[in-house]
Amino acid sequence: MDCGKFVLGMLAAILLAASSVGGAEGEKPVTKFARFQVGKTVAYGVVEGDRVRQIQGTPFRSWKPTDQTFALAEVKLLVPVQPSKVLALAGNYKSHLAQSPPHEHPELFFKVPSCLIADGQQVVIPPGTSVVHPEAELVIVIGKRAKNVPLAKAQDYVLGVTCGNDISARDWQKADVQWWRAKGSDTFGPCGPFVVKGLNYDDLLLRCRVNGEVRQEQSTKDLVHGVAAIVSWASQHVTLEPGDLIYTGTPGKTAAIKPGDVVEVELEGVGVLKNPVVAASK
């Protein structure tokens, strides 16, 4: 065996272990995954400070670290997974429901995978709508196939969570029979920058900023239906596949954005998802 490769492999494993250990005794290890592109190569990696270590395999199956690392500033971060489907929740914070009673079970609707964009990509306001709002959300990333999952085991099917922005054209949302374009138009699903495993998903601080001003701020402990309940309920009706995404709802009140704005969604322990807003080109 090549001694140099052996040493590098051992060093990679040690660094990965150091980056994946929880801070206090009894805490779950925390791992931050990225999906990125360097040149023509697209790969998954584990974030270590300001660098990303390429892994062999994917987060959904067995994987191991390699000795190849890149500066995060030098790679192109992609939408962190490639889902077969994207679900989202309506009215999952009391602060967003105003005077309406909470839903008895998670109220889900579909977004489409083609609406997803990565950190840094542009939210495009399409022609025909004039009232477009951002919605900061925790997004569940499914880790393995889930069908009829009992509540007590639902967390086992979660790979981790990421930041999401459920961009919504309010005028279309009110006027149309279905929400297909109000919630699923191209670029209406910012997502990323990382998927983080091992956090307490039901107690993370969520924020939305527009041009640096805080517009939304609330903890995910205030979700009407928490992560396990959402996964279990959804799996009773549709088979969830590895990489599928579930946007879990937004807190408080939202307000319109316009071309030239910059929207940030920050989720504690995950990072900041940042997207500029532009008008559709004529």
Side-chain angles (χ1 to χ4, degrees), residues 46-182:
V46 174
V47 178
E48 302 170 350
D50 61 357
R51 300 189 69 81
V52 58
R53 180 175 301 279
Q54 187 171 336
I55 64 173
Q56 183 178 329
T58 78
F60 307 104
R61 299 180 180 86
S62 60
W63 60 272
K64 60 182 180 180
T66 71
D67 58 6
Q68 183 70 64
T69 71
F70 305 92
L72 280 172
E74 297 174 353
V75 305
K76 178 182 180 181
L77 290 176
L78 307 175
V79 175
V81 292
Q82 295 178 290
S84 68
K85 65 185 79 66
V86 180
L87 294 92
L89 267 77
N92 201 31
Y93 287 86
K94 291 181 180 179
S95 61
H96 191 67
L97 286 166
Q99 301 302 314
S100 300
H103 302 301
E104 292 184 7
H105 57 74
E107 287 290 347
L108 292 155
F109 60 91
F110 283 100
K111 292 170 75 76
V112 288
S114 59
C115 80
L116 299 175
I117 58 172
D119 177 62
Q121 290 188 293
Q122 295 176 334
V123 173
V124 180
I125 297 180
T129 178
S130 59
V131 189
V132 175
H133 288 199
E135 294 189 359
E137 307 199 7
L138 173 146
V139 179
I140 301 166
V141 183
I142 298 300
K144 58 183 178 180
R145 177 173 284 191
K147 179 62 178 174
N148 295 324
V149 175
L151 180 62
K153 295 185 177 181
Q155 289 275 7
D156 296 340
Y157 292 80
V158 176
L159 173 68
V161 296
T162 189
C163 306
N165 191 344
D166 179 21
I167 303 291
S168 305
R170 296 297 190 212
D171 44 0
W172 289 349
Q173 192 176 357
K174 291 178 180 179
D176 293 351
V177 174
Q178 301 292 338
W179 291 358
W180 69 280
R181 61 173 180 163

Side-chain angles (χ1 to χ4, degrees), residues 192-214:
F194 311 116
V195 176
V196 181
K197 177 180 182 178
L199 301 172
N200 179 0
Y201 309 133
D202 291 310
D203 191 7
L204 301 174
L205 186 60
L206 176 68
R207 290 191 185 96
C208 175
R209 291 186 292 269
V210 179
N211 303 326
E213 177 187 351
V214 176

